[in-house]
Every structure is written in C-alpha cells, then in structure tokens.
Amino acid sequence: DSDIEYMLNDSYVLKRWENVGAAKLMGVETSYRQDLFFVPSWLKLTQVWVNYTHLEVSGENEEDFVGFTPDVLSFGVNYIRSRFSLRLTGAYQAETKRSYILVIPGTSAEGFIPPRTYEYQAAATQYGVSAEYAFTKRFSLYLNWTNVFAEDLRVYRRAPDTPKFAQNAQRHVMPSYIMLGVRGRF
C-alpha cells in the first residue's frame, strides 16, 4: 500500500491509498478440539478447544502493512447438557502495529516525532463466560459476560529507536459487560 497526500490548506490533508510495491503475507492457522471422555460421568459432555494463527509480512513494502495482528490465540471449555450450557473462553492478541503517525512538514510535530513512528496496540488477553439454562423448550435464561477481568487496552507510539520510557502511551478503559436475559420462542 502507498498513500498519496493532497494538502488542502494548513489544517487538512486528503489521503488516498493505492496498492503498489511488493510484500508477501504468509502464515499458519491450527485448530484443535477434544471431547473429554476420560472425566467423571457428570463431566462427559465437556469439550476443550484451541485455535492459533500466526502471520508474517516480508518484502520491500513490509513497513506499509498495519492493522493486522501477527499472533492470535483463542481457547475455551464448553460444558453442554440437555438443559444447561456453559462456555468459558479466552482470546490473546499479540502486539499490533495499528497506524503510521503522519508528520506534516512545517508543523510543530515535525521536530518532535521521529520518522517511522507508528502507533501500536499492546498485547492483551480477554476472557468471557456464556451460560444458558432452559426451563422449557421455549423459555430460557442466559448470561453473557465479556472481558471478565476488565483488562484495559494500552496504545502507544514508538519509532524503531525509541526507548521504552519515552513511548507515548494511552490507556483505554475497557469495561467488563454482563448481559443477563430471558429468551423466549412463541
């Protein structure tokens, strides 16, 4: 990808992205799911699963690739009975290069932001719980709980030679949400 900039006035820049150059994206994805038959009888309908994806960018335009995560790991345990289900999940996302920091020549930022500065999202893991209990075939109670431990999202900026203490960091508060509801089919 390449961008073309048009300066409209002192405050606005119009950008257009074009696919040019050469880069290669390679990766692997693996998944595994296992029913737990060796556990006590009341746990026989338990299943564990894991999914992992790894991506690598190479080539002369690899610096232009932003917004994708190089490593993603998701995992969980499912316990399903005839009237009750419980799912515990986790998702890990490695550090992600989110965007290039554009420095407009002639602005005050030009002397303070070094070339090749990018915004990154720090690695993070979030957990979730989902459960449902069916009172009848047409009426059930459910719970969805996302980001159980209320892990905040950290975003920072750095150039290749920026020491850790000098990275501009932000913390985005990511609350834990609990949704409790009734499902009915009429």
Side-chain angles (χ1 to χ4, degrees), residues 27-41:
V28 63
E29 180 177 5
T30 183
S31 183
Y32 183 75
R33 184 175 300 268
Q34 176 68 51
D35 292 326
L36 302 182
F37 298 115
F38 53 86
V39 295
S41 62

Side-chain angles (χ1 to χ4, degrees), residues 146-158:
T146 60
N147 197 13
V148 172
F149 301 110
E151 291 291 324
D152 292 339
L153 180 66
R154 299 203 180 274
V155 176
Y156 51 92
R157 291 179 179 178
R158 74 167 187 253

